[in-house]
Amino acid sequence: MGARQTTFGLACVAACAAACVPRGDPPAGRHLVADRVTMVGGVARPNGDGTTRVLLLRPPTAQQNQQYFDLYVASVDATGAGPVERLLAASVGIQGDFGCTYGLTACVFMDARGRLLVTTGYDQDQFVPILARIDPVTGDRQDIGATAYSFFSPSRERLLAMADAGRGGATLYENDDRVLVLGDATIAQFYGEDLYYVTAHGDLRRIVPGGAPELLATGVTSFLTAMLPDAGVMVLTRPTTDPRVSSASFLDTVTLQETAAPADLSRFDLSPDGRWLLAFDVAARSATFIERATGVRDSFDLPEESAGQYEWRPGHDEAWFGGGSYSDPTISIKKPGAPPIVIRALPYGGTNSLVNGSSMFTTDGAYWFSSTASPDTVPIVQVGSADDPMGARFNLIPAGAYLGTYWRLADGRILTMAQRQNWKRSDVYAVDPATGASSGLGEAGLVLAVGQTRVLAQLHINDDRGDLTVVDLADGHATVLAPEFTLGAAVEPQGADNVAPGAHVVYQFQARFESPYDGIWLTTVP
Amino acid sequence: MIVPGALLAVTLLVGAGVAQADADARDAGVDSRDGPITPDAGAPDGGGPDALAPAPPAPPVGHVVGRILAKGTRAPVAGASLTADVNEVGATDAHGDFDVAIPCGHRRLTVQAPGFDRLTTEVDVCDDALKPLTLRLAPSSGRPSFETVVRTKAIQPAVRLTQEELTQTPGTLGDPLRAIETLPGVATVAWPAPIYAVRGSNPGNTGFFLDTVRVPALFHFALGPSVIHPYFFDSIEFFPGGYPARFGRYAAGIVAADTRAPATDRVHASVDVRLYDAGALVSAPLPGNGAVVVAGRYSYTAALVSLLDDNVRVEYWDYQLRADRRVGPVQLTLLAFGSKDVLIPNQSNPADEIDLGFHRVSLRAIAPFAGGRVQGSVAFGTDHTRAPILDAYPIIVDAISAAPRLAYLRSFAAADVAVGFDGELGRYEPVLIGMLHPDSAWDLGKRRDAALLAGYASATVRALPRVLLTPELRFDSYSVGAGYAQDLAPRLTARVALRDDTTIRAAGGRFTQLPSLPLQIPGADAFGLALLGLQASWQASLGVETTRFASFELAATTYVQRYVLTDLRDPRPSDPDPLASDFLVKRDAVSYGLELLARRPLTQRLYGWLSYTLSNNLRSYGGGAVGPSDWDQRHIFNLVLGYRWGHTTLGGRAHFNTGRPYVTYDSTYGTATESFQRLPSFYQVDVRVDRRFVYDRFILDFYIELVNASLSRQVYAVKPAYGGGVEQESFRIVLPSIGVRAEF
C-alpha cells in the first residue's frame, strides 16, 4: 500500500472517529421547540380536549421593553404531530408564580380556570403595573387595568384587583366572568372564599361567591380575621373619641352577630379558632387567656426575659412563649386552665412552609421546631413532637446547613431543603418527625414541585442548569428526565396532586454549548 | 566508552629510570605522585636465542605504569591508548591503569581516548627521578563526552530523554520533567505552569513514574522545580500513548523516569545553587559492594517572598535517596523520595493555606530465576494534602499506600516474554471543612480504602526477520470504597523494518483509569468509582521512523484516541463543590492528529530537535453538545537547538502554539449563553548559556537562562467587551534563572 493510500486511510479513520464523538442520549420527551431562547412559561390547566397547552416565553426584540416577554401557547396533541403555536400576548410581564417557585425560569400566575394573569404595561402616573387576564385556550383577553396589588381567593376562582391601596378602588373578578367594581374599597381580604372589604366610609361589606355586596357593619376602620376560616370570627375596630384608642368588637361571620370586646383590653390576639383571646399586661409581665364566649379568664406570668414573642399552636388552644436568655433560652407552654410547662429550648421560627409561612410549628401543630445552636451561629434545626415537648428532638437537616422551605408530605414526613453555600444547591431530605429517620432524596438543587407520591426537583444545579429529576417519595428512586442542562420546568396542574404520575412536564433544556437538544421539551411524570 | 560528564587524568608510574615531567606536561595535567617503582626487568643483559649470531643488544626499556582519570571528576578512563613517540605501547585497563614498556630515554607520551582531547607529555624513561604521574584528560571541545539523546528505544512508541536533554533544554529551567513539554503530543495548557495535556486528554490522565513508583506530584508550587533533583534522573521515557502493559491506570500516556545508579568507584558530590533554591547530591560506595546516592533541595523562596510581603509564606523542599547493593545473586535497590510544599498567600486567612507533601520508599529486588529474571518491589507511601479546590473550602486528605510489583522476564529464541503483577493499596482519610451531601455515592470527601490490582502478560515476538510484534494483555481490578470495576485491556505494538534505516511502528490498545480530577492533586486519588465508573481509552497510532537523511532522525506518527474521561461538570462553576457528586462527570472525547519529530543527536556539535503536533481534540460536553477540548491547541511547534563551542553551549528554544478554546459567557434573562473563543496564538523564545569550567579535581557548571526572552504576553482569558469585540486578559512573565553547580 502506498503512502497516498495510507494517508487516505488514516484520514478516513480520523474523520470517522471525529464524527463518532457521542452526543449522548437526548433528554426525555418530545422536542417542541429547538432554540436557546424560548423559555418555559408553564402548562395550561387541561380542559379535557386532549390537547396539552404549553406556555412559552420568548425574549423581546431589541425594540421592545427588555423586561417583558412575548407569551405564546404551543398546543400539542397526543398524535405526535408538531406543536401549533399561537401568540397570546406580546410584550408581557409575568406576575408572581404558579406553584413553581425556585429555579424556574418563569411561571405565570394562573387562576382556577387556567387563565393567565400577566402584566401588559406600566402605569406611569400611578407607578403600578397594568394587568390582563388571558385564556390560553381561546386567546380571550380581559384587561384588568392599572393594579396596585391583586390576589386570588384560596380556590383561585376569585380575583381581586386593588387599583390604588391608598385611595381605594377595587374590582372583583368572579369565576363566572362577572366583574364587580367595588369603588372605594380601601381594605379587602378573602376570608375563606368570601371577600370582606371596608369602604372609605367605614362600611364593612362582604361578597360571597356568586353573590352581591352585603353590608355587615358600619363605622369600621379595620378588621382582623381569625387564622382559621372555620372559626368564623373577626375583630372589628372602630374609632373612639380618643384618637389614640380604638374600640373592638367581634363579628361572627356566620350569624353576623356582633359582640363587644371586653372594655379593659387594650391589646389582645385571637386564637386561630377564635375561641380565645390572649391579652398582655406588659408592665406586669403577665398575660391572660379570655374565653371569648364566656369571658372566663386565666392569668399567668410571662417567662423571664420574655419579649412577648409567642405563637399559637395550630389546632390547639395552646400558646408557646419564648423566654430566657441567649445562653439559656426557655419556652413556656401555656394552655388555658393549666399551669405553664417550661422547657429549655430555643424556638426556631424561621422554618418556612409554603402553606403557613414562617412558624415554629408544622401546619397541623403536631410538631415543633427548635434550634440547638447559639443564636449567632448557623441554627441546628430540630423537630420534635409538640404533644411531648420534653421528648426527643431530631436534627431536621445536617448541622451547618440552613433550613429553607419545607413541605409536609402526604405520609407525614417533612421534606426539607438544606441550604449550604448557595441556596440553589440545597440538599433535599425527607425526615420522619416521629422517629428522626432521615433520607436524602437529592443533592445540590431545588425542589420544584411536591406531589402526593413524587417530587419534581432540579438537582445538581450549576449556572442555573440542573438535572430535572422526579423522585419517588416512597423509595427515593430518582428518575432523571433531563440531565445537567434543565433551566426551567413546570408541571401540568392536575387536581390536588402537583406531581401526578402521567402529568405533563415542560422544561427548557439548554446545553452548555449550542446543541441539537436545546429547546423546549415535553414529557410526563413517571 | 561512555563516561558521563567526563574529564580524564592519567597517572604515570614509571619504573627504573624516571622522567621528570616538564612544565608543559604539568600544564597538560601531569602530576607526579608517590608510588611503587617497578625495577626494569625486561632488558636482557646479553645473550639471546641465537648464540651463534648474537643480535645487537636491545635498547634498555623502562616500565611505565600509570592511571588515566577524567579531568574534573577523577573518574578512571578505560581503553585509553598510549603512544611513545610514534609507537603504540599499550592501553589502560578497566580501572584506568596501565603498565607499558618504553625504551629508555626522553619520550613523547601521548594519551588518547574517545571523547577527550589528546594529551601529550614528555617523560624521561628510566630516569630514577621519575615518579608515578597522574594525567587528567580534558573532554573533547565541542563534542559531548557521552552519547545521548532523543531517541526511540522502547518497543512501544516513546521518546527517550537522557543527560543534557534532561538538564539543559532551554526553557525548562533545568528541570528534566519540563523537557517533555517540547515533545510531540504535549500541550502546555497554561504556560508557565507545568501542566501538560497529552493527546487531547486531561493533564490528570497522564501518569508519572519514577523507577515504576507512581509519583503523585511532579512539581513544586507555582513555578517551582520538579520534586526530583535533576541529576537524580538517568533517563525519561515518554509514551504519549500505547504505553507498555507493565504500566497501567492512566487513560492517556505515561512518563517513566529512571533514576541513575550511584557510582561505585568513590565518593561523588555535587552542589547546585540557583536563584530560588539550592540542592545537593552525594553518592558513595557502600562497604562490600553497592553504593548510595542522596539528593535534596531546599527553597529559600520564602525568605525572598517575605522580603516583598511578610504576609505571604512560600516554602518547599524535596529529597531523594537510592541505595544499590548486591546480596548473593539478588540486586537490591532502595529508593526513597519525598516532597513538601507550603503556600500561604495570606497568613491572616489560614483557609487559603495549601500544604502538599508526600513520601515514598521502595525496595526492589532483581534476581535470576528459571532461566530468566524475576523483579519484585514494594513501595510504601504517605500523602498529605490541604488545598482549597477551585476557591472552595479546603480539603484535607491524608493517605497511606502500598504498591507491590512482581514480574518475571525471560528471553527465548523467538520472543521475550514478561508476566507480572502490580497493585496499589491505599487508604484515604479526608478531613472535611464542609458538609457531605446526603447518602451520596460520591466519596471524595469520605474515608475509603482502595485496592487496585493488575496482572499482565507481554511477549515481544520476532515473528519475521524484519517484524517485531508485542501483543500484551493487562487485567485490572479496581476496588474503591463501595465501587468495583474490572477491565481486560489488550494492547498490540508492531515494528516493521522496511529498510535498515527505516521502520514503521504501530501501536494500539485499551487503557483504563479511575475517575480523576483534571489536574492531579496528591491525595485526591481513588474516588468516584461507584458513581462514575472507569475512565477508558482506545488508542491507535501509526508512525514511521528513519535515519536515512544525513545525521537526522525523523519520525512521523498519526494517532487516534477515543476517550471516556471524567471532567468538571461545569468548567466554570459559580460555586464549585468538590463534595457534591456533580463535581465530576464522564465525557466522551476523541483526539486525532499528526506528530513530527526531527532530531539531530547530541553527538553533533549542533544538536536539538524540532517537534510539531497537529491535532484535533473533540469532547462531548453533555446535552448533545460537542466542541473542542479545553486543552485543544491545533498547532504546536517546538524548535530546540544547542550549539557547542568549546566548553560553552549556547541553547535556544522557539515555541509556538495556536490558542486553546476559552469559554465566554453571556447572560440574558438568567439564561447562560456560552460559546468558544480561541485564545490568541502564543509564541516564546527561550535562551540559555551553559559554561563548564574544568579543574583537576572538580567541575563548575555555570548557566544562565532566560525563559520567554521574547517577552511574549500570555493571554489566559477572553471575554466579550463592553460595546462589542473581545477583551483579553493576559500576563507577561519572564523567568530569568542563573545557577552554578559544582561537581566533585
Side-chain angles (χ1 to χ4, degrees), chain A residues 23 60 66 420 425 427 440 443 463 465 467 484 510 515, chain B residues 435-437 439 569 572 581-582 587 623-624 669 672:
Chain A
R23 292 190 180 278
Q66 297 296 301
R420 297 164 184 276
R425 287 178 57 84
D427 293 333
E443 70 174 22
D463 281 342
R465 304 171 174 103
D467 302 333
E484 293 196 56
Q510 187 186 77
S515 159
Chain B
M435 290 178 296
L436 284 174
H437 292 265
D439 303 334
R569 176 163 173 168
R572 197 190 50 78
S581 62
D582 63 341
R587 302 289 193 212
Y669 303 112

PDB file of all heavy atoms in Angstrom, chain A residues 23 60 66 420 425 427 440 443 463 465 467 484 510 515, chain B residues 435-437 439 569 572 581-582 587 623-624 669 672:
ATOM      1  N   ARG A  23     -22.904  12.176  21.162  1.00  0.00           N
ATOM      2  CA  ARG A  23     -23.585  13.341  21.728  1.00  0.00           C
ATOM      3  C   ARG A  23     -24.309  12.983  23.009  1.00  0.00           C
ATOM      4  O   ARG A  23     -24.716  13.851  23.750  1.00  0.00           O
ATOM      5  CB  ARG A  23     -24.596  13.909  20.732  1.00  0.00           C
ATOM      6  CG  ARG A  23     -23.966  14.531  19.505  1.00  0.00           C
ATOM      7  CD  ARG A  23     -25.008  15.278  18.690  1.00  0.00           C
ATOM      8  NE  ARG A  23     -24.406  15.875  17.519  1.00  0.00           N
ATOM      9  CZ  ARG A  23     -23.758  17.040  17.520  1.00  0.00           C
ATOM     10  NH1 ARG A  23     -23.649  17.716  18.638  1.00  0.00           N
ATOM     11  NH2 ARG A  23     -23.234  17.514  16.424  1.00  0.00           N
ATOM     12  N   PRO A  60     -37.800  39.636  24.307  1.00  0.00           N
ATOM     13  CA  PRO A  60     -38.230  40.703  23.393  1.00  0.00           C
ATOM     14  C   PRO A  60     -37.160  41.001  22.363  1.00  0.00           C
ATOM     15  O   PRO A  60     -36.005  40.621  22.497  1.00  0.00           O
ATOM     16  CB  PRO A  60     -38.426  41.889  24.340  1.00  0.00           C
ATOM     17  CG  PRO A  60     -37.442  41.629  25.431  1.00  0.00           C
ATOM     18  CD  PRO A  60     -37.404  40.139  25.610  1.00  0.00           C
ATOM     19  N   GLN A  66     -37.206  45.530  27.544  1.00  0.00           N
ATOM     20  CA  GLN A  66     -36.377  44.367  27.829  1.00  0.00           C
ATOM     21  C   GLN A  66     -36.844  43.603  29.064  1.00  0.00           C
ATOM     22  O   GLN A  66     -36.344  42.521  29.343  1.00  0.00           O
ATOM     23  CB  GLN A  66     -34.925  44.804  28.005  1.00  0.00           C
ATOM     24  CG  GLN A  66     -34.322  45.411  26.751  1.00  0.00           C
ATOM     25  CD  GLN A  66     -34.239  44.403  25.603  1.00  0.00           C
ATOM     26  OE1 GLN A  66     -33.604  43.377  25.729  1.00  0.00           O
ATOM     27  NE2 GLN A  66     -34.900  44.716  24.492  1.00  0.00           N
ATOM     28  N   ARG A 420     -26.653  25.139  51.738  1.00  0.00           N
ATOM     29  CA  ARG A 420     -25.235  25.228  52.093  1.00  0.00           C
ATOM     30  C   ARG A 420     -24.733  26.607  51.707  1.00  0.00           C
ATOM     31  O   ARG A 420     -25.209  27.592  52.236  1.00  0.00           O
ATOM     32  CB  ARG A 420     -24.472  24.128  51.388  1.00  0.00           C
ATOM     33  CG  ARG A 420     -24.934  22.743  51.837  1.00  0.00           C
ATOM     34  CD  ARG A 420     -24.467  21.677  50.875  1.00  0.00           C
ATOM     35  NE  ARG A 420     -24.999  20.387  51.286  1.00  0.00           N
ATOM     36  CZ  ARG A 420     -24.444  19.602  52.192  1.00  0.00           C
ATOM     37  NH1 ARG A 420     -23.321  19.970  52.759  1.00  0.00           N
ATOM     38  NH2 ARG A 420     -24.987  18.470  52.535  1.00  0.00           N
ATOM     39  N   ARG A 425     -28.342  25.319  45.522  1.00  0.00           N
ATOM     40  CA  ARG A 425     -27.739  23.987  45.622  1.00  0.00           C
ATOM     41  C   ARG A 425     -28.024  23.406  47.005  1.00  0.00           C
ATOM     42  O   ARG A 425     -27.114  23.041  47.753  1.00  0.00           O
ATOM     43  CB  ARG A 425     -26.245  24.046  45.343  1.00  0.00           C
ATOM     44  CG  ARG A 425     -25.925  24.282  43.859  1.00  0.00           C
ATOM     45  CD  ARG A 425     -24.431  24.386  43.614  1.00  0.00           C
ATOM     46  NE  ARG A 425     -23.685  23.230  44.058  1.00  0.00           N
ATOM     47  CZ  ARG A 425     -23.517  22.124  43.337  1.00  0.00           C
ATOM     48  NH1 ARG A 425     -24.021  22.040  42.124  1.00  0.00           N
ATOM     49  NH2 ARG A 425     -22.834  21.107  43.803  1.00  0.00           N
ATOM     50  N   ASP A 427     -29.644  20.592  49.588  1.00  0.00           N
ATOM     51  CA  ASP A 427     -29.890  19.151  49.611  1.00  0.00           C
ATOM     52  C   ASP A 427     -31.318  18.895  50.086  1.00  0.00           C
ATOM     53  O   ASP A 427     -31.857  19.634  50.906  1.00  0.00           O
ATOM     54  CB  ASP A 427     -28.897  18.458  50.541  1.00  0.00           C
ATOM     55  CG  ASP A 427     -27.489  18.529  50.007  1.00  0.00           C
ATOM     56  OD1 ASP A 427     -27.331  18.618  48.773  1.00  0.00           O
ATOM     57  OD2 ASP A 427     -26.544  18.521  50.818  1.00  0.00           O
ATOM     58  N   GLY A 440     -31.872  11.082  52.300  1.00  0.00           N
ATOM     59  CA  GLY A 440     -31.560  12.102  51.303  1.00  0.00           C
ATOM     60  C   GLY A 440     -32.242  11.756  49.997  1.00  0.00           C
ATOM     61  O   GLY A 440     -32.145  10.644  49.498  1.00  0.00           O
ATOM     62  N   GLU A 443     -29.419  16.042  45.901  1.00  0.00           N
ATOM     63  CA  GLU A 443     -28.399  16.964  46.379  1.00  0.00           C
ATOM     64  C   GLU A 443     -28.217  18.114  45.409  1.00  0.00           C
ATOM     65  O   GLU A 443     -28.447  17.991  44.212  1.00  0.00           O
ATOM     66  CB  GLU A 443     -27.065  16.239  46.577  1.00  0.00           C
ATOM     67  CG  GLU A 443     -26.395  15.800  45.304  1.00  0.00           C
ATOM     68  CD  GLU A 443     -25.004  15.219  45.551  1.00  0.00           C
ATOM     69  OE1 GLU A 443     -24.731  14.776  46.667  1.00  0.00           O
ATOM     70  OE2 GLU A 443     -24.203  15.220  44.604  1.00  0.00           O
ATOM     71  N   ASP A 463     -24.752  26.992  37.372  1.00  0.00           N
ATOM     72  CA  ASP A 463     -25.147  28.070  36.474  1.00  0.00           C
ATOM     73  C   ASP A 463     -26.622  27.972  36.102  1.00  0.00           C
ATOM     74  O   ASP A 463     -26.999  28.097  34.934  1.00  0.00           O
ATOM     75  CB  ASP A 463     -24.295  28.056  35.207  1.00  0.00           C
ATOM     76  CG  ASP A 463     -22.941  28.681  35.445  1.00  0.00           C
ATOM     77  OD1 ASP A 463     -22.803  29.412  36.439  1.00  0.00           O
ATOM     78  OD2 ASP A 463     -22.023  28.422  34.662  1.00  0.00           O
ATOM     79  N   ARG A 465     -28.490  25.619  35.688  1.00  0.00           N
ATOM     80  CA  ARG A 465     -28.910  24.407  34.981  1.00  0.00           C
ATOM     81  C   ARG A 465     -28.725  23.201  35.891  1.00  0.00           C
ATOM     82  O   ARG A 465     -27.764  23.149  36.649  1.00  0.00           O
ATOM     83  CB  ARG A 465     -28.083  24.194  33.730  1.00  0.00           C
ATOM     84  CG  ARG A 465     -28.069  25.332  32.728  1.00  0.00           C
ATOM     85  CD  ARG A 465     -27.026  24.996  31.689  1.00  0.00           C
ATOM     86  NE  ARG A 465     -26.986  25.916  30.585  1.00  0.00           N
ATOM     87  CZ  ARG A 465     -26.067  26.855  30.439  1.00  0.00           C
ATOM     88  NH1 ARG A 465     -25.151  27.040  31.356  1.00  0.00           N
ATOM     89  NH2 ARG A 465     -26.062  27.640  29.375  1.00  0.00           N
ATOM     90  N   ASP A 467     -30.145  18.799  36.804  1.00  0.00           N
ATOM     91  CA  ASP A 467     -30.817  17.559  36.403  1.00  0.00           C
ATOM     92  C   ASP A 467     -32.295  17.689  36.735  1.00  0.00           C
ATOM     93  O   ASP A 467     -32.657  17.837  37.908  1.00  0.00           O
ATOM     94  CB  ASP A 467     -30.268  16.361  37.188  1.00  0.00           C
ATOM     95  CG  ASP A 467     -28.769  16.176  37.016  1.00  0.00           C
ATOM     96  OD1 ASP A 467     -28.243  16.581  35.966  1.00  0.00           O
ATOM     97  OD2 ASP A 467     -28.142  15.622  37.937  1.00  0.00           O
ATOM     98  N   GLU A 484     -28.431  17.441  33.547  1.00  0.00           N
ATOM     99  CA  GLU A 484     -27.471  18.556  33.562  1.00  0.00           C
ATOM    100  C   GLU A 484     -27.995  19.928  33.151  1.00  0.00           C
ATOM    101  O   GLU A 484     -27.608  20.920  33.726  1.00  0.00           O
ATOM    102  CB  GLU A 484     -26.267  18.255  32.656  1.00  0.00           C
ATOM    103  CG  GLU A 484     -25.390  17.134  33.134  1.00  0.00           C
ATOM    104  CD  GLU A 484     -24.047  17.153  32.436  1.00  0.00           C
ATOM    105  OE1 GLU A 484     -23.375  18.183  32.507  1.00  0.00           O
ATOM    106  OE2 GLU A 484     -23.692  16.127  31.815  1.00  0.00           O
ATOM    107  N   GLN A 510     -31.030  23.557  27.922  1.00  0.00           N
ATOM    108  CA  GLN A 510     -30.035  24.390  27.234  1.00  0.00           C
ATOM    109  C   GLN A 510     -28.656  23.886  27.609  1.00  0.00           C
ATOM    110  O   GLN A 510     -28.163  24.134  28.716  1.00  0.00           O
ATOM    111  CB  GLN A 510     -30.186  25.861  27.613  1.00  0.00           C
ATOM    112  CG  GLN A 510     -29.298  26.772  26.791  1.00  0.00           C
ATOM    113  CD  GLN A 510     -29.346  28.202  27.283  1.00  0.00           C
ATOM    114  OE1 GLN A 510     -28.738  28.531  28.286  1.00  0.00           O
ATOM    115  NE2 GLN A 510     -30.089  29.047  26.596  1.00  0.00           N
ATOM    116  N   SER A 515     -26.502  23.044  21.039  1.00  0.00           N
ATOM    117  CA  SER A 515     -26.718  21.610  20.863  1.00  0.00           C
ATOM    118  C   SER A 515     -28.028  21.381  20.124  1.00  0.00           C
ATOM    119  O   SER A 515     -28.966  22.180  20.236  1.00  0.00           O
ATOM    120  CB  SER A 515     -26.783  20.928  22.240  1.00  0.00           C
ATOM    121  OG  SER A 515     -27.446  19.693  22.170  1.00  0.00           O
TER     122      SER A 515
ATOM    123  N   MET B 435     -19.578  20.149  54.305  1.00  0.00           N
ATOM    124  CA  MET B 435     -20.556  19.125  54.626  1.00  0.00           C
ATOM    125  C   MET B 435     -20.712  18.150  53.474  1.00  0.00           C
ATOM    126  O   MET B 435     -20.704  18.535  52.312  1.00  0.00           O
ATOM    127  CB  MET B 435     -21.903  19.775  54.908  1.00  0.00           C
ATOM    128  CG  MET B 435     -21.934  20.551  56.209  1.00  0.00           C
ATOM    129  SD  MET B 435     -23.543  21.305  56.416  1.00  0.00           S
ATOM    130  CE  MET B 435     -23.555  22.428  55.049  1.00  0.00           C
ATOM    131  N   LEU B 436     -20.871  16.928  53.842  1.00  0.00           N
ATOM    132  CA  LEU B 436     -21.174  15.920  52.850  1.00  0.00           C
ATOM    133  C   LEU B 436     -22.627  16.048  52.431  1.00  0.00           C
ATOM    134  O   LEU B 436     -23.477  16.476  53.204  1.00  0.00           O
ATOM    135  CB  LEU B 436     -20.930  14.530  53.419  1.00  0.00           C
ATOM    136  CG  LEU B 436     -19.478  14.087  53.525  1.00  0.00           C
ATOM    137  CD1 LEU B 436     -19.394  12.766  54.230  1.00  0.00           C
ATOM    138  CD2 LEU B 436     -18.847  14.008  52.151  1.00  0.00           C
ATOM    139  N   HIS B 437     -22.882  15.654  51.240  1.00  0.00           N
ATOM    140  CA  HIS B 437     -24.256  15.627  50.779  1.00  0.00           C
ATOM    141  C   HIS B 437     -24.892  14.301  51.204  1.00  0.00           C
ATOM    142  O   HIS B 437     -24.211  13.328  51.469  1.00  0.00           O
ATOM    143  CB  HIS B 437     -24.301  15.821  49.268  1.00  0.00           C
ATOM    144  CG  HIS B 437     -23.887  17.189  48.866  1.00  0.00           C
ATOM    145  ND1 HIS B 437     -24.766  18.205  48.643  1.00  0.00           N
ATOM    146  CD2 HIS B 437     -22.660  17.735  48.681  1.00  0.00           C
ATOM    147  CE1 HIS B 437     -24.117  19.305  48.320  1.00  0.00           C
ATOM    148  NE2 HIS B 437     -22.828  19.056  48.334  1.00  0.00           N
ATOM    149  N   ASP B 439     -26.391  10.796  51.622  1.00  0.00           N
ATOM    150  CA  ASP B 439     -26.480   9.468  51.008  1.00  0.00           C
ATOM    151  C   ASP B 439     -25.880   9.423  49.613  1.00  0.00           C
ATOM    152  O   ASP B 439     -26.352   8.727  48.732  1.00  0.00           O
ATOM    153  CB  ASP B 439     -27.944   9.012  50.934  1.00  0.00           C
ATOM    154  CG  ASP B 439     -28.580   9.018  52.304  1.00  0.00           C
ATOM    155  OD1 ASP B 439     -27.848   8.884  53.286  1.00  0.00           O
ATOM    156  OD2 ASP B 439     -29.806   9.173  52.375  1.00  0.00           O
ATOM    157  N   ARG B 569     -17.949  18.956  35.724  1.00  0.00           N
ATOM    158  CA  ARG B 569     -19.260  19.067  35.078  1.00  0.00           C
ATOM    159  C   ARG B 569     -19.447  20.464  34.503  1.00  0.00           C
ATOM    160  O   ARG B 569     -19.935  20.631  33.404  1.00  0.00           O
ATOM    161  CB  ARG B 569     -20.353  18.765  36.098  1.00  0.00           C
ATOM    162  CG  ARG B 569     -21.753  18.951  35.546  1.00  0.00           C
ATOM    163  CD  ARG B 569     -22.750  18.260  36.418  1.00  0.00           C
ATOM    164  NE  ARG B 569     -24.106  18.545  36.012  1.00  0.00           N
ATOM    165  CZ  ARG B 569     -25.162  17.890  36.456  1.00  0.00           C
ATOM    166  NH1 ARG B 569     -25.011  16.915  37.311  1.00  0.00           N
ATOM    167  NH2 ARG B 569     -26.374  18.193  36.059  1.00  0.00           N
ATOM    168  N   ARG B 572     -16.701  26.121  34.545  1.00  0.00           N
ATOM    169  CA  ARG B 572     -16.701  27.480  35.070  1.00  0.00           C
ATOM    170  C   ARG B 572     -17.773  27.587  36.156  1.00  0.00           C
ATOM    171  O   ARG B 572     -18.673  28.400  36.080  1.00  0.00           O
ATOM    172  CB  ARG B 572     -16.995  28.463  33.940  1.00  0.00           C
ATOM    173  CG  ARG B 572     -16.641  29.908  34.214  1.00  0.00           C
ATOM    174  CD  ARG B 572     -17.212  30.774  33.115  1.00  0.00           C
ATOM    175  NE  ARG B 572     -18.604  30.498  32.891  1.00  0.00           N
ATOM    176  CZ  ARG B 572     -19.574  30.942  33.674  1.00  0.00           C
ATOM    177  NH1 ARG B 572     -19.291  31.692  34.705  1.00  0.00           N
ATOM    178  NH2 ARG B 572     -20.827  30.637  33.408  1.00  0.00           N
ATOM    179  N   SER B 581     -21.693  15.204  44.185  1.00  0.00           N
ATOM    180  CA  SER B 581     -21.481  14.189  43.158  1.00  0.00           C
ATOM    181  C   SER B 581     -21.504  14.769  41.760  1.00  0.00           C
ATOM    182  O   SER B 581     -21.202  14.068  40.804  1.00  0.00           O
ATOM    183  CB  SER B 581     -22.538  13.102  43.272  1.00  0.00           C
ATOM    184  OG  SER B 581     -23.823  13.649  43.050  1.00  0.00           O
ATOM    185  N   ASP B 582     -21.884  16.015  41.620  1.00  0.00           N
ATOM    186  CA  ASP B 582     -21.868  16.601  40.286  1.00  0.00           C
ATOM    187  C   ASP B 582     -20.582  17.365  40.023  1.00  0.00           C
ATOM    188  O   ASP B 582     -20.479  18.096  39.051  1.00  0.00           O
ATOM    189  CB  ASP B 582     -23.067  17.530  40.098  1.00  0.00           C
ATOM    190  CG  ASP B 582     -23.042  18.723  41.040  1.00  0.00           C
ATOM    191  OD1 ASP B 582     -22.333  18.659  42.061  1.00  0.00           O
ATOM    192  OD2 ASP B 582     -23.729  19.715  40.765  1.00  0.00           O
ATOM    193  N   ARG B 587     -17.252  12.245  30.255  1.00  0.00           N
ATOM    194  CA  ARG B 587     -17.438  12.821  28.928  1.00  0.00           C
ATOM    195  C   ARG B 587     -16.747  11.946  27.887  1.00  0.00           C
ATOM    196  O   ARG B 587     -15.668  11.413  28.140  1.00  0.00           O
ATOM    197  CB  ARG B 587     -16.834  14.225  28.844  1.00  0.00           C
ATOM    198  CG  ARG B 587     -17.392  15.226  29.836  1.00  0.00           C
ATOM    199  CD  ARG B 587     -18.807  15.610  29.490  1.00  0.00           C
ATOM    200  NE  ARG B 587     -19.241  16.777  30.245  1.00  0.00           N
ATOM    201  CZ  ARG B 587     -20.495  16.980  30.631  1.00  0.00           C
ATOM    202  NH1 ARG B 587     -21.424  16.096  30.355  1.00  0.00           N
ATOM    203  NH2 ARG B 587     -20.826  18.061  31.284  1.00  0.00           N
ATOM    204  N   GLY B 623     -25.522  17.040  27.021  1.00  0.00           N
ATOM    205  CA  GLY B 623     -26.654  17.734  26.428  1.00  0.00           C
ATOM    206  C   GLY B 623     -26.601  17.766  24.923  1.00  0.00           C
ATOM    207  O   GLY B 623     -27.227  18.607  24.297  1.00  0.00           O
ATOM    208  N   GLY B 624     -25.822  16.876  24.327  1.00  0.00           N
ATOM    209  CA  GLY B 624     -25.737  16.818  22.878  1.00  0.00           C
ATOM    210  C   GLY B 624     -24.727  17.757  22.269  1.00  0.00           C
ATOM    211  O   GLY B 624     -24.576  17.815  21.053  1.00  0.00           O
ATOM    212  N   TYR B 669     -31.640  37.244  30.604  1.00  0.00           N
ATOM    213  CA  TYR B 669     -32.794  36.712  31.326  1.00  0.00           C
ATOM    214  C   TYR B 669     -32.427  35.491  32.154  1.00  0.00           C
ATOM    215  O   TYR B 669     -33.169  34.523  32.235  1.00  0.00           O
ATOM    216  CB  TYR B 669     -33.923  36.380  30.350  1.00  0.00           C
ATOM    217  CG  TYR B 669     -34.321  37.560  29.541  1.00  0.00           C
ATOM    218  CD1 TYR B 669     -34.074  37.606  28.185  1.00  0.00           C
ATOM    219  CD2 TYR B 669     -34.909  38.663  30.157  1.00  0.00           C
ATOM    220  CE1 TYR B 669     -34.423  38.711  27.451  1.00  0.00           C
ATOM    221  CE2 TYR B 669     -35.255  39.772  29.422  1.00  0.00           C
ATOM    222  CZ  TYR B 669     -35.020  39.794  28.064  1.00  0.00           C
ATOM    223  OH  TYR B 669     -35.347  40.887  27.348  1.00  0.00           O
ATOM    224  N   ALA B 672     -27.829  31.292  30.381  1.00  0.00           N
ATOM    225  CA  ALA B 672     -26.434  31.474  30.014  1.00  0.00           C
ATOM    226  C   ALA B 672     -26.230  31.095  28.559  1.00  0.00           C
ATOM    227  O   ALA B 672     -26.733  30.088  28.091  1.00  0.00           O
ATOM    228  CB  ALA B 672     -25.560  30.610  30.902  1.00  0.00           C
TER     229      ALA B 672
END
